[in-house]
Amino acid sequence: MKVTVVGAGAVGASCAEYIAIKNFASEVVLVDIKEGFAEGKAMDLMQTASLNGFDTKITGTTGDYSKTAGSDICVITSGIARKPGMSRDELLGINAGIVKSVAASLVEQSPNTIIIVVSNPMDTMTYLVHKATGLPKNRIIGMGGALDSARFKYRLAEALEAPISDVDGMVIGGHSDKGMVPLTRLATRNSVPVSEFLSEERLEQVKQDTKVGGATLTGLLGTSAWYAPGAAVSGLVQAIACDQKKIFPCSTLLEGEYGLSDLCIGVPVVLGKNGIEKIVEINLSEEEKAALTSSAEAVKNNNTALTF
Ligand code: NAI
């Protein structure tokens, strides 16, 4: 199993580290545009191998895509990240050009690859990769919902004063502060609806804290987060590499599912060796449907800025 990660910055390196530590991939290739940067990150990570007990071989290259040839999975994290006060949408202009050219280089070397898009604004970048590469829809996956759901579970566990492993919950919709749809109605603590334990007001607070999860960290860190994003990407990569058939909310091209079409947005999908093996349509309440539809409108509005 060969995995390429483009962008050896905060998220790319964290993702490579988690993949390596989980020890399921034979090789991870890091690519960056900054001279020597990916090589340096790869060397530093390899020097953790004997300490962390993994055999995954990590290499780095400054833009030589021939080194990525034959990758089973490629992750795109290249581009700029937001600074405090910025929205993810403000990154569109710069990141679209980067993501489009990176995707073309990856597909040229690995025509059978599955691509995971991380760069923001992620739903629009996923749609761009779909339009620009023409790869089948099951092989283009946007990562956002897995991270947002992890943040939702963190906030739920905090409110419930329960261990995170006892809590389940999912965030669908666009990967943006306004577009996320945390499904509080379906969230559970040991199979019991969380509404049994939390007031409506407290649940609304959990929802709001989840939606601004990224912005809260950007405010604290001065740049966007990397541990949870890297871990979330590695979870998707592992589900595909190990054919786990796990369900994650991922951004995928919709063609009528949830009454939406011609956009990529986060909905639950089954991930296995073929990438997205099934889009899962759950019964949403009228309120949840309305929130998803309004989120989709915002993503579509962003998409109009793209050229293919
Ligand atoms: P970073 O600035 O630490 O790393 C980005 C890297 O991309 C840099 O090392 C840069 O040199 C490289 N790069 C730029 N242009 C390139 C090109 N043409 N080819 C190869 N490499 C290139 O940024 P960070 O924090 O790693 O974030 C990366 C992206 O991921 C951002 O767009 C950020 O908004 C997004 N992100 C998305 C998340 C999600 O849930 N979808 C979560 C966190 C970040």
Side-chain angles (χ1 to χ4, degrees):
M1 174 61 53
K2 178 171 176 177
V3 182
T4 286
V5 180
V6 185
V11 176
S14 160
C15 157
E17 181 177 17
Y18 283 117
I19 292 171
I21 284 176
K22 292 178 182 179
N23 214 10
F24 60 84
S26 51
E27 192 179 351
V28 174
V29 181
L30 276 170
V31 184
D32 206 282
I33 200 167
K34 260 188 276 175
E35 190 66 43
F37 192 61
E39 291 88 332
K41 286 283 180 104
M43 193 184 289
D44 193 10
L45 283 170
M46 277 308 283
Q47 289 169 3
T48 71
S50 62
L51 301 163
N52 285 332
F54 64 77
D55 297 316
T56 303
K57 182 181 165 203
I58 308 171
T59 57
T61 170
T62 307
D64 178 359
Y65 280 85
S66 68
K67 302 271 173 58
T68 71
S71 292
D72 300 284
I73 303 171
C74 294
V75 180
I76 302 179
T77 77
S78 47
I80 54 166
R82 61 180 172 158
K83 296 279 176 243
M86 279 175 94
S87 82
R88 295 174 177 93
D89 295 349
E90 289 174 65
L91 310 173
L92 194 152
I94 293 178
N95 284 356
I98 294 173
V99 168
K100 192 172 164 184
S101 74
V102 164
S105 305
L106 290 172
V107 174
E108 194 183 347
Q109 297 295 332
S110 308
N112 298 318
T113 193
I114 290 170
I115 296 184
I116 299 177
V117 181
V118 182
S119 309
N120 274 316
M122 181 278 295
D123 299 288
T124 295
M125 293 302 114
T126 307
Y127 184 72
L128 171 63
V129 171
H130 172 76
K131 287 286 186 189
T133 64
L135 288 184
K137 59 181 275 187
N138 61 301
R139 293 208 266 129
I140 300 172
I141 303 161
M143 194 297 289
L147 170 64
D148 300 333
S149 300
R151 289 179 172 157
F152 184 36
K153 286 181 240 186
Y154 163 76
R155 289 298 185 187
L156 281 169
E158 180 184 58
L160 291 160
E161 297 182 34
I164 293 189
S165 56
D166 278 3
V167 172
D168 204 3
M170 191 187 286
V171 177
I172 61 170
H175 179 59
S176 66
D177 296 6
K178 288 189 185 136
M180 279 176 219
V181 185
L183 298 175
T184 43
R185 183 180 59 90
L186 301 176
T188 58
R189 173 184 183 177
N190 293 100
S191 307
V192 180
V194 293
S195 55
E196 292 292 326
F197 307 99
L198 299 174
S199 66
E200 255 180 52
E201 293 71 38
R202 189 66 183 95
L203 267 176
E204 189 52 37
Q205 187 60 49
V206 165
K207 211 171 177 176
Q208 290 313 319
D209 288 345
T210 302
K211 286 176 154 206
V212 297
T216 303
L217 282 164
T218 304
L220 291 168
L221 298 166
T223 184
S224 82
W226 56 90
Y227 293 120
V233 177
S234 77
L236 267 51
V237 172
Q238 186 174 24
I240 298 164
C242 304
D243 196 23
Q244 288 176 324
K245 318 284 188 202
K246 274 198 179 187
I247 293 182
F248 289 95
C250 293
S251 192
T252 182
L253 185 76
L254 295 184
E255 294 171 303
E257 298 89 349
Y258 292 94
L260 301 170
S261 55
D262 195 30
L263 85 163
C264 293
I265 195 164
V267 294
V269 301
V270 177
L271 287 187
K273 64 178 185 309
N274 301 309
I276 293 181
E277 301 196 342
K278 183 180 166 57
I279 294 175
V280 182
E281 281 199 79
I282 47 178
N283 282 327
L284 297 178
S285 68
E286 288 308 316
E287 191 187 333
E288 291 157 356
K289 257 186 233 165
L292 182 61
T293 304
S294 135
S295 179
E297 277 160 17
V299 171
K300 276 202 167 182
N301 190 40
N302 259 350
N303 293 352
T304 58
L306 294 172
T307 49
F308 307 115

